[in-house]
Every structure is written in C-alpha cells, then in structure tokens.
Amino acid sequence: MHIVGDSVKKTSHMLLKSINQQKVLFLIYSEGPISRVELSEKTGLSRQTVTNIVNRLLEEKIIVAGELMDLEAGSGRKRVGLHINSGSFYAIGLELAGKYIRGKVYNLRQDAVASAERTINKYGSVDVLLKLLHEVIDELISQVPNASKIKGIGISIQGLVDSQHGIVLRTPGIGFHRLRLSQLLEDKYHIPVHIENDVNLLSVYENMNGCLKESNNNITIKFDYGTGGAIVVDKQIIAGSNFVAGEFGHYKGFYGEDAYPCHCGRSGCLTTLASSSGLGVSIKCTLDEFAEGIKTGDAKFLSLYEKIVDGISVALSNIITFINPDSLLMTGLVIQSISPEMFSDIKARVMHQLPVTVNNVQMTYLYNKPDETKLAAGLVIKRAFEIPLNTLSL
C-alpha cells in the first residue's frame, strides 16, 4: 500500500511539473520577450521553480534568451528577455473548402515557411478528398527541413464539425457526412489532427487578438461560399447540443416565390441567396455577375439586392434582440463583392428595426480577415500550450 501511495505522489508531482512548465511556456509564447522575474510574478511560481523550468527549456532549445532590456522605466535595472525559438517546431494549417484545399506550414511565430494548394470542381467521393488532402500535406511536409518537428495539423472547414472528436458532420460544399477526418489523417501521419468550423476559428481569433477583444458577448457572421455564424457568451463559444448553434445560414429569411430550396431539406434559408453557392444554385449567377448587374443598374439584380438586404436585416435584428450581444461582426466575400454600400444598407435597416433596449450593439465589417490556414495552424499551437484537463482532479 505504501508503494502505491508513493507511485501516486510521484505521478502527481510529474503532472504538477508539466502544468508549471505549460504555464511558463505559454507566457513566453504570448508575452515574450519576458524576464524570469515577470514569469514568477505572473504565474505565482517561486523564482527558483521558474529558473529550473527556464533552464530546461533553454537546454532543449524550445526557448532562447535575447538581449538585455529595461525592466522598469528609469530604474536602471535590466532583464534577459526570453522568447520562443520559432524553429523549435512547426504546425500545418489547412483550409478545406468546396472547390479547393489550401495549406501552409507555420513556425511558432506563425510565419509561413511553406505552402501548397489543390483545386477541384467536385470531390465526388471520400477517396478523392483524401487523395487531394494527402497531396497537399505531403507537399508541405517535403518543404520542412526536419519533419519530426511538425507537431500537428489544424483544419478549418465550412460547415458543422464535432471538433472534440474530429468528425466532419455536415459540409454543403464538400458533401460528406459524419466523416472521421482527424482519425483518418492521424492513422496516416501519426501526428495530432484538429478540425474546427471556419467561423468559430475566426471568432476565437478576433475575440483574443482583434476587433472583438473588448467584447464579452458577441456574434460573428460570415457571408461567403456558405453562410455561417459563431456566438460568444462570456468569452466562450456556444456550440449547442448538436454543434448547430450559430448556423445563421439556416435562419429563415425569404418567403413566397423567393423561398428557394436549401440543401438542408427546407426552403427560404438565408444561405440560398446570401452566399455565393446559394446564388449559383438558386438564380444561376456568380458574385461577379451580381455585382456587375448592381453596377449597371439592372432592374432584376437591383430587386434581388433589396430582397437579400431585407432578409439579412430582419434576421440580424431578431438575433440581436434575442441574444443581446455587445458586438456583431460581419465578414465574407458576398457583401464585400456585391456592393461597397451593402454593409451600410444592412446596418442602417438593422438599427432602425431594433428595440431601443438593444440598439447599443456595435456593428462592424471585417474586410481583411486573417488567412484561414493561419487560424487552423493556431489550433495546433494552442493545443501545444494547453494545460492538461485532468489537472482539475488533483
């Protein structure tokens, strides 16, 4: 019994050391260059513990020591700035869309060091999808000097995904349901594979680093090949019981003769007209043709423009009233391509329709969104610095 007790204590001690190292490593990554003193203050660890961890990370070349820097203004004190060794490992980021697969390799500083791409009109089968994925991944790996330093693959996907189990649930542009994509790729490459919905990834990024970082409760809507959304409450993504929360594209926005059939099996969904794929299926036109029709004053396209703006505006007004977010962020090629005034038109109608109790919402449009391969690679980097969940049982 004494031996079992010693074993438990040893396991707990090793786990605690791992947690402490993750804390230190995350701070060096997110706030570096940073000194040992600052690490001790921000983690609550003793200076000796921090020194031991730092020395181990330096020896393993995961971090490097930079030049001396001022610690406090006017104090004359100096610090040794510690920062991540950007070449200590790499992450592959993939953007999986209906017509293409794009991939890049990023170092720890999220600088792209390799890229590859494949395009296709239609995948048709899982075998074709996997073949193209393998081609992109193999080409990326071949461009990395030391493939053993690749710590994982992150994939951004339009549609419904079970990110916890790595399952593609439903993707309108790709056409496969309940595909265990993470497992299939992990079996081949023997490295972790993480998948996530593209709008969720964008929302997390903007909440951490971008225009939503001052907002605790917000909504992100993307009008692109498809139409999707992400809901954040108290800085947490709301997934819903079936990972459908935020699926703004299936909000009913069109009625009567404008209620076109949707791939979800119903009709009148926003995505049937407020997405590039929906426009192609419903009215057989491209974004460029729509934009040109608006520019030349074509009556058919001007009428359709009004219907789309109205449909989006009513849907946004309802969801803002129901959820009461601080901010609403919109992005995607549809609004950006059709008309420079489209976002302003939508915003004006939404603000006119909102009850006064919620009309303090901040509505913005993100024209220059981050590279989705970079967001996907961020999944790998995030997991690399994550503190183990089983520490909660200690």
Side-chain angles (χ1 to χ4, degrees):
M1 197 69 173
H2 177 68
I3 294 175
V4 173
D6 286 346
S7 176
V8 171
K9 287 181 181 178
K10 184 176 180 180
T11 300
S12 297
H13 177 68
M14 294 297 292
L15 187 54
L16 185 60
K17 285 180 65 176
S18 173
I19 296 168
N20 290 340
Q21 178 166 303
Q22 290 292 83
K23 289 179 180 178
V24 170
L25 192 54
F26 178 76
L27 276 173
I28 295 172
Y29 170 72
S30 60
E31 299 188 21
I34 187 171
S35 71
R36 291 169 174 82
V37 172
E38 290 171 309
L39 287 170
S40 177
E41 292 172 349
K42 293 190 175 188
T43 61
L45 301 173
S46 71
R47 293 192 182 186
Q48 186 58 54
T49 298
V50 168
T51 296
N52 292 340
I53 293 172
V54 166
N55 288 343
R56 185 162 59 248
L57 294 173
L58 286 168
E59 185 177 343
E60 295 173 1
K61 297 182 179 179
I62 295 174
I63 66 172
V64 292
E67 299 178 357
L68 292 175
M69 302 174 66
D70 289 332
L71 181 60
E72 296 176 4
S75 69
R77 299 171 63 192
K78 299 287 184 178
R79 66 175 182 176
V80 176
L82 302 167
H83 55 88
I84 292 290
N85 177 4
S86 62
S88 59
F89 72 71
Y90 300 95
I92 292 176
L94 300 176
E95 179 187 359
L96 178 54
K99 302 291 185 181
Y100 61 84
I101 300 171
R102 293 175 183 153
K104 291 183 182 180
V105 178
Y106 292 86
N107 62 24
L108 266 180
R109 282 296 164 198
Q110 293 198 298
D111 302 316
V113 299
S115 63
E117 182 175 344
R118 296 291 187 277
T119 58
I120 192 169
N121 186 48
K122 186 177 181 180
Y123 294 103
S125 70
V126 172
D127 288 341
V128 172
L129 172 66
L130 291 175
K131 178 179 180 294
L132 292 180
L133 275 170
H134 294 163
E135 287 181 7
V136 170
I137 294 170
D138 291 343
E139 185 176 333
L140 292 172
I141 291 174
S142 71
Q143 298 178 66
V144 178
N146 187 349
S148 67
K149 291 187 175 183
I150 298 174
K151 295 301 181 183
I153 299 170
I155 307 178
S156 170
I157 303 176
Q158 293 184 7
L160 299 181
V161 300
D162 176 350
S163 56
Q164 183 177 355
H165 299 100
I167 302 173
V168 179
L169 298 174
R170 180 183 288 272
T171 51
I174 299 171
F176 307 117
H177 306 320
R178 304 204 65 81
L179 178 64
R180 294 184 173 275
L181 187 58
S182 289
Q183 188 64 58
L184 289 169
L185 293 178
E186 286 175 355
D187 288 346
K188 178 175 176 62
Y189 293 101
H190 307 292
I191 54 176
V193 177
H194 312 289
I195 68 173
E196 184 55 274
N197 167 267
D198 62 324
V199 190
N200 283 351
L201 275 178
L202 176 63
S203 176
V204 169
Y205 179 86
E206 293 300 326
N207 271 272
M208 291 180 64
N209 311 295
C211 58
L212 297 174
K213 63 183 178 181
E214 303 300 327
S215 168
N216 289 322
N217 305 288
N218 51 74
I219 299 169
T220 300
I221 307 286
K222 182 180 178 183
F223 298 92
D224 212 276
Y225 183 82
T227 301
I231 301 170
V232 169
V233 176
D234 292 333
K235 285 297 183 186
Q236 297 294 318
I237 288 278
I238 304 300
S241 59
N242 295 313
F243 307 95
V244 182
E247 275 296 286
F248 190 69
H250 297 289
Y251 199 107
K252 301 301 177 274
F254 307 110
Y255 303 92
E257 64 180 11
D258 301 314
Y260 291 94
C262 180
H263 61 82
C264 74
R266 300 294 184 260
S267 60
C269 300
L270 281 178
T271 195
T272 59
L273 291 174
S275 70
S276 62
S277 61
L279 285 169
V281 172
S282 299
I283 62 170
K284 307 295 187 294
C285 90
T286 66
L287 279 179
D288 289 341
E289 289 169 344
F290 195 172
E292 183 62 24
I294 297 296
K295 186 177 179 180
T296 58
D298 186 301
K300 181 183 75 171
F301 287 116
L302 289 175
S303 174
L304 181 60
Y305 174 86
E306 287 297 316
K307 292 175 182 178
I308 294 175
V309 169
D310 271 341
I312 291 174
S313 301
V314 170
L316 289 179
S317 300
N318 287 333
I319 198 170
I320 291 171
T321 304
F322 188 70
I323 296 178
N324 188 24
D326 307 316
S327 304
L328 187 141
L329 176 66
M330 296 166 61
T331 191
L333 288 176
V334 170
I335 292 176
Q336 193 169 332
S337 301
I338 291 177
S339 169
E341 291 78 34
M342 192 169 183
F343 171 67
S344 297
D345 288 345
I346 292 171
K347 181 178 179 180
R349 296 185 197 191
V350 169
M351 299 309 293
H352 178 72
Q353 293 165 357
L354 285 178
V356 294
T357 50
V358 294
N359 68 1
N360 62 333
V361 63
Q362 299 296 311
M363 292 182 63
T364 55
Y365 195 89
L366 182 66
Y367 287 93
N368 299 310
K369 63 182 189 297
D371 189 320
E372 291 194 27
T373 63
K374 186 174 183 178
L375 299 182
L379 277 173
V380 179
I381 296 173
K382 176 180 179 292
R383 295 294 176 90
F385 296 118
E386 253 178 4
I387 296 173
L389 290 176
N390 57 358
T391 61
L392 298 175
S393 63
L394 287 179

